[in-house]
Amino acid sequence: MSTLCKFETALEILVGKWKPVILLQLFANGTMRFSELQKAIPDITKKMLTQQLRELQYHDIIHREVYNQIPPKVEYSITEYGQQLTPLLQAMNDWGTAHIAHLQELYGEEHSARSLKRN
Amino acid sequence: MSTLCKFETALEILVGKWKPVILLQLFANGTMRFSELQKAIPDITKKMLTQQLRELQYHDIIHREVYNQIPPKVEYSITEYGQQLTPLLQAMNDWGTAHIAHLQELYGEEHSARSLKRN
DNA sequence: CAGGATCCAAAAAGATACTG
DNA sequence: CAGTATCTTTTTGGATCCTG
C-alpha cells in the first residue's frame, strides 16, 4: 500500500464539511447529546449531522450511546482510540493558525483561504 | 477568528482529490515540469492539475517558474514556506497508516476507509 | 508544451416532510 | 428526541476542443 494511500486516509476521515466542527465540539465538551450538537452547530441539518456522526463512528473515533427510553436519548463521545487524534488535530490547528497569518501577510486582510476557489 | 476556522484552513489547503498526490510528487522529486507531473499522475486531467497547482501556488506552498521560450516550459517546486508542511504531512501519514491497521483489526481486510460512504 | 474555455456527469450538501 | 426518506441545489471533477 502506497504512502499516498495512507496520507489520503487521514484526509478522508477528517474531511466532510462538518467533521472538524463536530470533533471540536466533542473534544471540548466531552459527552454530548444529538440535540446539544445541533444547538452547538446551528447551521447543520439533522441529515448532515447524522451522516457525519455515523462516519466518525464507523472509524471508531466517536462512540454512540443509545438510551432506550421515550423520548429517546443518544449521547456521543470521543472513543479512547479517537483521543489519539488529538496531536494530529493540534498540529493541523497550529499549522492553520500560522497559515492564516501567512496569507494575510501575503495578500492582506481582505483575502480568505477560499479566495482562489472562486474562478 | 475561531479555533474551528483555523483547523478548517489546514483542511482546505490539503483537500482536493489530487493535492496529496501532487504534494507527494513534488516533495519526493523536487522540481518538476507540468508534463512530468502529468506523467507521474496518469489519471489526472490537465484541467485538474492546473487547478490544483494554482491553489497550492496561491497558498505559497508551491512555486511556479515560467521559462519564456518556445515550446513553453514551466517548473513547479515546493517553496521554502511550503517545506513547513512536512511535519504535518508526516503526522497525517503516520496517523493514516495506524488507522488503516486499526480498521482492519475492527472490520477485517475487506473493508476500506470508504466503506461507509456507500450507503 | 502548458494551458484556457466550455459543456457534462457525479458527488456532496441542503430543504422539507415524515416517523417510532 | 433522534432520526429517515426523498427531492433539489450546489459543488466537484471529467471530457473534449481550442490556442499562443
Side-chain angles (χ1 to χ4, degrees):
Chain A
M1 201 169 285
S2 73
T3 296
L4 177 61
C5 175
K6 292 160 182 173
F7 178 86
E8 286 177 324
T9 298
L11 280 176
E12 277 181 17
I13 282 93
L14 274 353
V15 168
K17 187 167 176 183
W18 301 103
K19 290 218 187 79
V21 216
I22 294 171
L23 286 174
L24 242 42
Q25 284 294 325
L26 287 174
F27 268 101
N29 303 326
T31 299
M32 291 179 82
R33 307 184 52 164
F34 187 86
S35 53
E36 291 179 313
L37 280 164
Q38 270 201 101
K39 254 166 251 164
I41 314 167
D43 289 348
I44 200 171
T45 61
K46 290 174 173 205
K47 175 192 161 188
M48 277 296 104
L49 183 53
T50 304
Q51 193 182 100
Q52 309 271 297
L53 285 169
R54 290 292 139 82
E55 288 180 22
L56 290 168
Q57 186 191 352
Y58 173 85
H59 284 284
D60 194 28
I61 292 165
I62 64 172
H63 172 69
R64 178 170 182 263
E65 183 74 33
V66 182
Y67 296 84
N68 215 326
Q69 59 183 53
I70 299 206
K73 173 174 163 183
V74 179
E75 287 183 338
Y76 295 89
S77 56
I78 307 285
T79 61
E80 199 174 331
Y81 172 76
Q83 305 283 349
Q84 292 177 20
L85 262 175
T86 310
L88 182 56
L89 262 37
Q90 191 60 52
M92 293 178 71
N93 187 61
D94 291 349
W95 186 82
T97 305
H99 190 61
I100 288 170
H102 188 69
L103 283 180
Q104 291 188 354
E105 210 175 292
L106 288 175
Y107 304 111
E109 292 282 346
E110 72 280 6
H111 287 262
S112 82
R114 289 221 107 106
S115 296
L116 193 70
K117 301 257 171 117
R118 316 262 154 260
N119 57 355
Chain B
M1 203 169 283
S2 72
T3 295
L4 179 60
C5 175
K6 292 161 184 173
F7 178 86
E8 285 177 324
T9 298
L11 280 176
E12 276 179 19
I13 283 95
L14 276 351
V15 168
K17 187 168 176 183
W18 302 102
K19 291 219 187 80
V21 215
I22 295 171
L23 286 175
L24 243 41
Q25 284 295 326
L26 287 175
F27 268 102
N29 302 326
T31 299
M32 291 178 83
R33 303 183 55 163
F34 188 85
S35 52
E36 291 179 315
L37 281 165
Q38 269 201 103
K39 255 166 250 164
I41 314 167
D43 288 350
I44 200 171
T45 61
K46 289 176 172 203
K47 175 192 162 189
M48 278 295 104
L49 183 53
T50 304
Q51 194 182 98
Q52 309 269 297
L53 285 169
R54 291 290 138 84
E55 288 179 22
L56 291 168
Q57 185 190 353
Y58 174 86
H59 285 283
D60 193 28
I61 291 164
I62 64 173
H63 172 69
R64 179 170 182 262
E65 184 73 32
V66 183
Y67 296 83
N68 216 326
Q69 58 182 57
I70 298 205
K73 173 175 161 183
V74 180
E75 287 183 339
Y76 295 89
S77 55
I78 306 286
T79 61
E80 199 175 333
Y81 173 75
Q83 305 283 351
Q84 291 177 20
L85 262 175
T86 309
L88 182 56
L89 261 37
Q90 190 60 53
M92 292 179 70
N93 187 61
D94 292 349
W95 185 83
T97 305
H99 189 61
I100 287 170
H102 188 70
L103 283 181
Q104 292 187 352
E105 211 175 292
L106 288 175
Y107 305 111
E109 292 282 346
E110 71 280 6
H111 287 263
S112 82
R114 289 220 106 106
S115 294
L116 193 70
K117 301 257 170 116
R118 318 261 155 261
N119 59 355

